[in-house]
Amino acid sequence: MRNLFNFSIVVLAIFMAACGSKKNTESEEAVEEIVIPEPVIEYGFNLDSFVVERDTVQPGWTMSHMFQGYGLTQYQINIAAEMAADSSVGLRYIKEGKDYLMLCDREDTAKKLLYCIYPKSIVEYVVFDFTTDSIIVEKREKEWSIEEKMISGEIIKNSNLTFALDQQLKDINMTGEMAEHIAGVFAWTIDFFRLHPGDEFKAIYTEKSVEGKPFSVGEIKYAWFRHQGLEYYGFKYVVNADSNKVGFFDEKGKEMKRPFLMAPVKYSRISSGFTMKRFHPVQKRWKSHLGTDYAAPHGTPIMATADGTVIAASYTGGNGNYVKIYHDEVYSTQYLHMSGFAPGIKKGVRVRQGQVIGYVGSTGLATGPHVCYRFWKNGKQVNHRAEKFPPSVPMPDSILPKYLEFIEPIKARLDSLPITPYVVESDSINV
C-alpha cells in the first residue's frame, strides 16, 4: 500500500511539473509574440509623436505656398522667410522638386503646424519651429562619418580624368570634386589639357558619408600620377605645426607649388593654341594668335595663375572684359573675353595665385564662351605652355629626414595599389 501511495505521489508530481512547464512555455510564447515597433526617427524627430505630412515643392512656389493651409499668418510666414535668408541659415528660396516634411499637433484637429523640415542637401536641413510665440529657424546637419579610401585609374583615347573617375564614383558631384582635387595637387607640374592615353593615377583620400551613402570627397591626402612616362608624387605634409603650415611635396621633399599654374581655369578644353598663323573666326582673315583659348561653360571661374597686382580691369572692343596682372619685372598675364569681373577686382588690387578674378564669357571678338590667356615674358608674348619655370625650393635639411621617414610607408601603399582598368561602356565617348 505504501509503495502504491508513493507511486501515486510521483505520478502526480510529474503531471504537475508537466502542466507547469506547459504553462510556462505558453506564457513565454505569448511574450515572444508581443513586438514593440521601433520609433520612426527622421531628422532627429520621433515622427510617431506627430501627424506627419510630406509634400514636394512645385514650380513657381515660394515659402508662402509651402506654409499655406497650416494656420499660419502671413506675418509669421514673412518672419520665417526673413530668418531663413539670414547668413547663418542661407535659405533664400526653395527649390522645385524638393521634398519636405510638416509635423503637426496630434491633438489639434485644425492641423496646427509645429515644425517644418526642409532639406537643403543630403546633409544639411532647415528646421522651422512654431512651437512657441517666438519663431525659431535654424540650420542643422545629419550625422556624417569620414573614412579613408583609395582610388586609381587610367586615361584612354578620347577620354580624360573626369571620365576615368566617374566610372568608379558614379556621382557627378563627387567626380567633379575628385577631379578638381587631383588636378589641384599637380596643377603646377602636369598639363591636364595634354593627358595621353596610358596616363595613370592613384590617390588616397577621405570620403564623407551620411546614412551609409557617400556624398563628398573630403581631401586628397596623397597622390601619384604617371604622365607621358614620368611619375609624379604628391604628399600632404604639415611643415610647421606651430603655424599649421601645410603643403604638398614630392618624394624628394620639394614643394609641388610653382610660380605659375598650368591653366587659368579648371574645367575646359583648349579650343585654340598659341600660333603665328590662325584664321580668325570673327574677322575671317589669317593672323597670329598670341594666346591660348580655353573653352569652358559661361560663368566658369577664371583664376590668377600667379601672385601679382592688377594693372588693368577694363573693356575693349576686341578683348571684351579683360584683366591684366603684373607678376614681377619678367612676367605678366592677361585674361580676355570675361562675362564679368569677380568682386573687388580692379586696377591696383593685389591678387593671389588661384584667386578668382573673373568669369568665362564671350565679350569682345568671340564666337563662344572661353578665356584667351596671354602670357608676357620680358615684354614679349610667348607660349606659356612651352615655358620652363624654375623648380620649387627644397624642404630644409632640418626636417627632410623626418618627412622622408613619414612618406616611406605611404609611398609603398601607393606603389602597391593596382590600376583599375577603364571599362568602355559604349562605342564612343564624347569629351
Side-chain angles (χ1 to χ4, degrees):
M1 187 69 177
R2 180 184 297 274
N3 292 337
L4 180 60
F5 179 77
N6 291 337
F7 176 77
S8 299
I9 292 176
V10 172
V11 171
L12 180 60
I14 294 172
F15 176 76
M16 292 178 67
C19 290
S21 176
K22 183 177 181 180
K23 286 183 178 180
N24 289 339
T25 302
E26 290 176 350
S27 176
E28 289 174 1
E29 290 177 353
V31 171
E32 290 176 356
E33 289 176 357
I34 298 175
V35 179
I36 301 176
E38 291 289 330
V40 179
I41 306 295
E42 286 188 40
Y43 300 100
F45 290 87
N46 183 352
L47 299 192
D48 297 335
S49 303
F50 307 93
V51 173
V52 180
E53 296 200 357
R54 301 176 186 270
D55 207 342
T56 303
V57 176
Q58 301 301 310
W61 271 22
T62 64
M63 228 166 269
S64 293
H65 295 89
M66 193 168 68
F67 288 124
Q68 280 178 0
Y70 290 95
L72 300 177
T73 65
Q74 189 60 48
Y75 175 77
Q76 288 177 303
I77 295 173
N78 292 343
I79 293 297
E82 289 177 10
M83 296 178 70
D86 185 79
S87 58
S88 62
V89 180
L91 182 65
R92 296 185 178 278
Y93 56 89
I94 55 177
K95 295 182 179 180
E96 176 185 340
K98 183 74 73 174
D99 296 329
Y100 61 93
L101 276 71
M102 295 298 203
L103 307 185
C104 303
D105 191 343
R106 293 177 67 96
E107 308 300 325
D108 189 347
T109 56
K111 201 168 62 175
K112 178 184 178 183
L113 181 64
L114 300 180
Y115 300 97
C116 168
I117 304 168
Y118 179 89
K120 285 190 69 178
S121 66
I122 191 172
V123 177
E124 294 182 336
Y125 59 98
V126 177
V127 175
F128 296 83
D129 183 343
F130 298 98
T131 58
T132 64
D133 292 337
S134 299
I135 299 171
I136 300 173
V137 182
E138 58 183 2
K139 182 175 66 178
R140 301 180 186 177
E141 284 190 357
K142 293 182 180 179
E143 290 187 7
W144 52 271
S145 60
I146 191 163
E147 183 180 0
E148 187 174 275
K149 297 278 188 176
M150 301 177 75
I151 194 170
S152 67
E154 63 176 327
I155 309 299
I156 66 168
K157 186 178 180 180
N158 295 328
S159 181
N160 56 29
L161 180 60
T162 302
F163 276 101
L165 290 167
D166 194 51
Q167 275 215 328
Q168 300 173 62
L169 297 174
K170 302 295 185 183
D171 181 284
I172 187 171
N173 293 322
M174 289 187 64
T175 296
E177 287 179 343
M178 182 68 79
E180 182 175 336
H181 286 326
I182 293 178
V185 174
F186 302 104
W188 300 270
T189 52
I190 296 176
D191 187 344
F192 282 87
F193 301 95
R194 283 181 173 172
L195 293 183
H196 285 211
D199 286 355
E200 299 172 330
F201 63 89
K202 303 175 185 179
I204 299 175
Y205 67 101
T206 56
E207 181 179 86
K208 296 179 181 180
S209 299
V210 62
E211 297 173 348
K213 182 180 179 181
F215 70 90
S216 179
V217 176
E219 63 171 351
I220 297 290
K221 299 175 71 175
Y222 320 108
W224 169 90
F225 215 106
R226 187 198 302 277
H227 176 53
Q228 298 188 44
L230 298 178
E231 294 186 79
Y232 301 89
Y233 288 90
F235 301 93
K236 193 170 188 178
Y237 188 71
V238 179
V239 181
N240 189 324
D242 294 334
S243 63
N244 199 30
K245 182 180 178 181
V246 181
F248 274 93
F249 300 83
D250 66 13
E251 74 279 15
K252 296 179 181 179
K254 292 184 178 180
E255 190 173 9
M256 304 291 290
K257 187 176 181 179
R258 299 290 192 273
F260 285 89
L261 295 173
M262 295 296 290
V265 284
K266 291 180 178 178
Y267 296 106
S268 65
R269 62 181 176 83
I270 293 177
S271 55
S272 183
F274 185 100
T275 178
M276 300 308 294
K277 190 175 183 180
R278 181 192 74 153
F279 187 75
H280 197 284
V282 177
Q283 296 178 327
K284 304 300 182 183
R285 63 187 178 89
W286 292 94
K287 60 184 297 187
S288 60
H289 183 247
L290 304 182
T292 302
D293 288 349
Y294 292 92
H298 192 279
T300 298
I302 300 170
M303 303 174 294
T305 54
D307 296 350
T309 301
V310 175
I311 57 175
S314 187
Y315 178 90
T316 65
N319 295 341
N321 294 317
Y322 75 94
V323 169
K324 189 170 184 178
I325 300 174
Y326 171 86
H327 301 289
D328 56 32
E329 63 275 7
V330 177
Y331 299 110
S332 297
T333 56
Q334 190 177 19
Y335 314 76
L336 313 182
H337 309 304
M338 294 178 171
S339 60
F341 308 119
I345 297 301
K346 59 183 179 180
K347 184 178 180 180
V349 170
R350 182 75 179 171
V351 293
R352 305 292 295 178
Q353 185 181 66
Q355 180 178 338
V356 176
I357 57 174
Y359 307 93
V360 169
S362 53
T363 57
L365 292 179
T367 57
H370 73 283
V371 55
C372 178
Y373 177 58
R374 303 202 170 205
F375 196 93
W376 276 264
K377 181 178 181 180
N378 295 318
K380 181 181 179 181
Q381 291 191 63
V382 298
N383 182 3
H384 77 285
R385 301 174 81 224
E387 280 296 299
K388 300 295 182 183
F389 297 105
S392 60
V393 178
M395 187 176 288
D397 292 339
S398 59
I399 61 175
L400 182 59
K402 186 177 179 180
Y403 169 77
L404 295 177
E405 181 182 358
F406 170 78
I407 70 169
E408 184 177 0
I410 301 167
K411 183 175 180 296
R413 287 178 64 193
L414 285 170
D415 291 343
S416 64
L417 179 64
I419 297 295
T420 302
Y422 195 113
V423 179
V424 179
E425 298 178 349
S426 61
D427 295 335
S428 61
I429 301 174
N430 295 319
V431 180

